[in-house]
Amino acid sequence: MNYNKKSVEDIDVTGKRVLCRCDFNVPIKGGVITSDKRIVAALPTIQYLVKQGAKVILCSHMGKPKGEYKPELSLKVVADRLSELLGQTVIMAADVAGKDAQAKAAALENGQVMLLENTRFEKGETKNDPELSRKLASLADIFVNDAFGTAHRAHSSTAGVADYLPAVCGYLIQKEIGIMGKALADPERPFVAILGGAKVSDKLNVINNLLEKVDTLIIGGGMAYTFLAAKGYAVGKSLLDTEKIDYCKEMMAKAEAKGVKLLLPVDTVVAASFPDPIDGPIDVKTVAADAIPADMEGLDIGEESRKLFAEAAKSAKTVVWNGPMGVFENPILAKGTIAVAEALAESSAVTIVGGGDSAAACEQLGFADKITHISTGGGASLEFLEGLELPGIACLQDK
Ligand code: AMP
């Protein structure tokens, strides 16, 4: 995939109607936004468009209304918060691309901002229906995609609309593809990838693709036990995907053939059973990776593994991390994940954290500003690491 895409700065937006796809999929409780992080993250692109005198038409999805109007998933709350942050009124449309949106878009003046209703109120959105894409495109002269979190989806508002309008990226997507694209295409070496999380099966293609690129691949979390089983170790009651043992063997052979160092946990924190509740008290001990008792379950990497993984991260020039090293929701089982987050924060390498749990861990620990780039998209960043073409990026004009 070509990561060198035109951005808002490469196209004349002054006086133009610009449809800008944002990620305003914010958490809401009792009608109140509980984190406006995503709205704040979208500000640089919006402010640039306003400053250039564009007529700004924002759109986003929120939640899963499944093609129906659901008042609790209206973006009105986002328009209100955005008005406060921008210091100017954000005009709210009553529909996505219907009469109200059309009338309000037509009446926009330079520098004004409006927000369309939740794009997933339209049935056609997730089907990438050309009819809806055309209607959305008819509101504007230019399409700007700045929603990395949905860039792996081919929906009307993320990709389809680009069939009818010149399309470029905003600052958020520009940063994502700039940093992650360089890491994959032309990384500073040594390049170390750290993968964790529950299941091997979720990350099969990521492992395969990263083995083509990295110098060291580190596997922790629940997925490590299937690799340990592939090495012939007994893993007790730990998470094990028996159907993927052969795949893990294949990946170990591939690593060896390519000269990639594959690091697995050398010790593991075990308990008699999974914590219930997940953050409740739990009795644990640490055992060697090849000595997991039959009646115990591995729930975090042990201290030796933490040191081993941290050393590899610290001596790297590029590090990509996706997925927790253990059941980090429980403070007793979070030490492996914290050690990796800390190692990235302390490393002078280009450090990239791919969405979801690992991003949340870095933020909760206060390390976010010590990481080069925390991706805003969980699923999208994984597909990026898989080497897949993301429809919301592929549809943008090349530089
Ligand atoms: P994922 O959604 O695949 O990124 O996995 C995240 C989940 O993996 C978290 O909820 C962790 O609690 C869980 N996890 C990590 N390590 C383990 C483990 N050793 N055993 C069971 N679950 C784990």
Side-chain angles (χ1 to χ4, degrees):
M1 188 164 101
N2 183 350
Y3 305 120
N4 202 10
K5 295 293 182 178
K6 282 191 185 168
S7 82
V8 273
E9 292 185 14
D10 299 314
I11 193 163
D12 182 12
V13 296
T14 305
K16 303 271 172 54
R17 284 188 174 71
V18 177
L19 176 69
C20 181
R21 176 54 156 100
C22 300
D23 179 2
F24 292 146
N25 187 24
V26 291
I28 296 214
K29 236 186 195 160
V32 177
I33 297 171
T34 56
S35 166
D36 66 358
K37 222 182 74 187
R38 288 182 169 164
I39 306 177
V40 172
L43 289 176
T45 300
I46 301 170
Q47 282 164 334
Y48 174 82
L49 293 171
V50 168
K51 208 167 135 213
Q52 296 298 311
K55 301 175 169 87
V56 186
I57 305 164
L58 305 173
C59 68
S60 174
H61 82 283
M62 180 159 72
K64 292 182 177 162
K66 304 211 165 124
E68 276 172 44
Y69 177 79
K70 297 242 170 81
E72 69 278 15
L73 291 176
S74 166
L75 287 181
K76 176 74 172 59
V77 280
V78 173
D80 292 345
R81 182 70 190 118
L82 192 55
S83 299
E84 289 167 12
L85 290 166
L86 286 173
Q88 71 179 82
T89 302
V90 174
I91 301 159
M92 186 67 209
D95 48 28
V96 180
K99 284 209 172 86
D100 193 61
Q102 283 169 21
K104 285 178 175 153
L108 275 183
E109 287 172 18
N110 293 2
Q112 280 193 320
V113 179
M114 69 177 281
L115 174 60
L116 305 179
E117 252 309 356
N118 188 336
T119 51
R120 290 193 192 166
F121 285 173
E122 287 284 342
K123 281 197 174 61
E125 163 72 338
T126 55
K127 295 184 188 127
N128 197 9
D129 173 24
E131 194 50 41
L132 177 61
S133 305
R134 230 190 325 256
K135 263 166 96 178
L136 280 168
S138 73
L139 300 172
D141 308 304
I142 292 168
F143 173 58
V144 173
N145 191 7
D146 209 22
F148 184 71
T150 48
H152 58 318
R153 309 271 183 229
H155 293 171
S156 280
S157 74
T158 62
V161 65
D163 289 344
Y164 307 99
L165 290 177
V168 299
C169 63
Y171 292 118
L172 273 177
I173 286 199
Q174 187 182 38
K175 185 171 180 228
E176 294 275 2
I177 57 181
I179 295 179
M180 294 215 285
K182 167 145 179 35
L184 290 185
D186 178 26
E188 296 233 22
R189 295 185 182 275
F191 179 13
V192 175
I194 308 175
L195 293 179
K199 293 190 223 131
V200 183
S201 53
D202 289 346
K203 299 203 173 128
L204 297 177
N205 298 326
V206 181
I207 296 168
N208 197 13
N209 189 44
L210 285 177
L211 281 176
E212 304 283 341
K213 322 242 175 212
V214 300
D215 301 294
T216 302
L217 179 63
I218 296 177
I219 309 251
M223 59 195 277
Y225 301 96
T226 305
F227 276 90
L228 293 177
K231 278 182 81 165
Y233 298 173
V235 297
K237 296 196 306 186
S238 311
L239 270 187
L240 174 65
D241 189 344
T242 43
E243 282 178 18
K244 294 293 172 296
I245 291 177
D246 282 344
Y247 183 83
C248 292
K249 284 184 183 162
E250 239 176 77
M251 290 300 108
M252 291 193 291
K254 178 168 174 175
E256 194 167 335
K258 292 206 157 279
V260 173
K261 210 193 264 177
L262 182 68
L263 293 183
L264 299 173
V266 291
D267 58 355
T268 176
V269 176
V270 295
S273 57
F274 198 85
D276 181 22
I278 196 162
D279 58 352
I282 186 164
D283 269 338
V284 298
K285 64 175 182 177
T286 301
V287 298
D290 61 355
I292 301 175
D295 57 350
M296 296 227 138
E297 177 169 1
L299 297 169
D300 193 13
I301 55 171
E303 204 173 330
E304 290 307 313
S305 312
R306 283 171 224 156
K307 279 190 212 150
L308 182 72
F309 293 2
E311 273 316 305
K314 281 187 203 162
S315 59
K317 288 259 168 58
T318 306
V319 186
V320 170
W321 174 33
N322 189 300
M325 295 292 104
V327 183
F328 75 109
E329 295 90 338
N330 188 307
I332 298 165
L333 303 168
K335 291 180 185 150
T337 302
I338 292 173
V340 166
E342 222 158 32
L344 261 69
E346 284 168 12
S347 171
S348 56
V350 172
T351 48
I352 300 168
V353 177
D357 294 330
S358 5
C362 289
E363 273 151 18
Q364 278 159 24
L365 293 164
F367 295 151
D369 57 355
K370 298 199 178 95
I371 306 287
T372 312
H373 179 63
I374 297 186
S375 176
T376 51
S381 68
L382 262 188
E383 291 200 14
F384 205 96
L385 295 179
E386 275 179 43
L388 293 177
E389 189 174 272
L390 309 190
I393 291 171
C395 70
L396 307 176
Q397 291 182 351
D398 293 334
K399 255 197 184 174

